[in-house]
Amino acid sequence: MSDSTLAGQFFDAAIGLLERVRDEGSGNIAAAGAAIADTVAAGGRLFAFGAGHSSLAAQDVVYRAGGLALMNLLAVPGTVGVDVMPATLGSALERVDGLAGAVLDSSPAEAGDVLVIISLSGRNALPVEMAMNARALGLKVIGVTSVAYAKGTRSRHGSGGFLRDHCDIVLDSKISIGDAELTVEGIEAPFAPASTVVTSAVMQAMMAAAAEQLVARGIEPPMLRSGNVDGGHEWNGRVMTEYRDRIFYRR
């Protein structure tokens, strides 16, 4: 049954995007899951990075119920959320040259690890340099971005490249330039962004693909349980103790 309200239109738009990503991006999602499984099986570490609202999807796969315990957040101070004051500082930092290199050099990430970089536009200096520097260090880079931006905007990085140009695997969120699904008379600006919904779904699908790959290899994925169910804390404590050398959010 069709819902003509604006709320209903947003749901329709989000569902349509999710179906496109599922149908058109399944191969790359499976490849990303395999890359993560390869790293887990080899004793490597996993990291996720995103700036601004892209950080929400990165945080969504770190230390959460039903998530892979080995995923760590690679945080750049001042860019993770709107709690920094002024909030516009985070956007400014995304355009600063050299910041990504400094962060990677002081992080525990090393050759053989996986870094998932999330950037909707993929055009700012920070995600582009993060990908370039990570690959130079020998990390495998998975980029989650909207390829539309690389076709319809100009890069803000000196190389002229976008995030998608410096990744081993690219997952396309299919989000249109501007990240707003609705327009209506009486509201001058487009509104109702769907990037967080779709990008988080892409991240969770990728993690499910990784879990599937690990099971196929006879490896039990180290998953976390909800702390709000009986036995959850005890379960998580055992998992985090067993894999403490690859978990950095407890240090």
Side-chain angles (χ1 to χ4, degrees):
M1 182 177 178
S2 178
D3 184 346
S4 62
T5 67
L6 291 179
Q9 290 177 37
F10 174 76
F11 277 118
D12 288 343
I15 290 167
L17 284 163
L18 289 169
E19 289 178 338
R20 281 192 64 200
V21 171
R22 179 197 63 196
D23 296 342
E24 300 172 21
S26 59
N28 282 11
I29 289 173
I36 290 172
D38 288 343
T39 301
V40 172
R45 291 86 59 81
L46 309 173
F47 299 89
F49 163 77
H53 284 89
S54 290
S55 73
L56 296 175
Q59 294 178 63
D60 194 42
V61 293
V62 177
Y63 182 52
R64 65 153 303 133
L68 192 61
L70 304 184
M71 183 61 78
N72 301 278
L73 184 68
L74 183 65
V76 176
T79 69
V80 175
V82 295
D83 56 327
V84 63
M85 295 296 174
T88 51
L89 176 61
S91 298
L93 288 173
E94 290 187 61
R95 305 177 189 182
V96 174
D97 293 334
L99 182 56
V103 169
L104 276 171
D105 287 346
S106 61
S107 79
E110 58 187 37
D113 294 343
V114 164
L115 174 59
V116 184
I117 300 176
I118 305 163
S119 174
L120 178 61
S121 73
R123 68 189 298 222
N124 289 315
L126 183 55
V128 173
E129 289 187 357
M130 189 71 77
M132 294 173 68
N133 289 4
R135 292 180 87 187
L137 290 172
L139 280 75
K140 183 174 285 289
V141 175
I142 300 169
V144 184
T145 187
S146 170
V147 171
Y149 278 85
K151 297 177 179 178
T153 67
R154 296 181 62 184
S155 170
R156 290 180 174 137
H157 187 253
S159 69
F162 286 75
L163 170 61
R164 72 162 192 174
D165 300 318
H166 302 285
C167 298
D168 297 287
I169 302 168
V170 175
L171 306 183
D172 184 5
S173 65
K174 311 291 183 181
I175 300 294
S176 299
I177 295 172
D179 191 18
E181 296 302 318
L182 301 182
T183 57
V184 68
E185 185 176 351
I187 302 177
E188 293 191 14
F191 61 102
S195 62
T196 303
V197 173
V198 176
T199 304
S200 290
V202 168
M203 293 292 287
Q204 294 297 346
M206 177 185 70
M207 302 308 287
E212 183 177 31
Q213 285 277 340
L214 287 167
V215 170
R217 302 176 195 194
I219 301 171
E220 182 179 356
M223 312 302 291
L224 296 174
R225 292 178 180 265
S226 171
N228 295 315
V229 300
D230 292 343
H233 285 298
E234 293 77 13
W235 172 279
N236 293 342
R238 289 192 298 271
V239 170
M240 288 189 282
T241 297
E242 182 177 354
Y243 293 93
R244 59 184 176 274
D245 60 326
R246 292 191 264 173
I247 292 174
F248 302 98
Y249 48 80
R250 294 190 73 190
R251 301 180 184 180

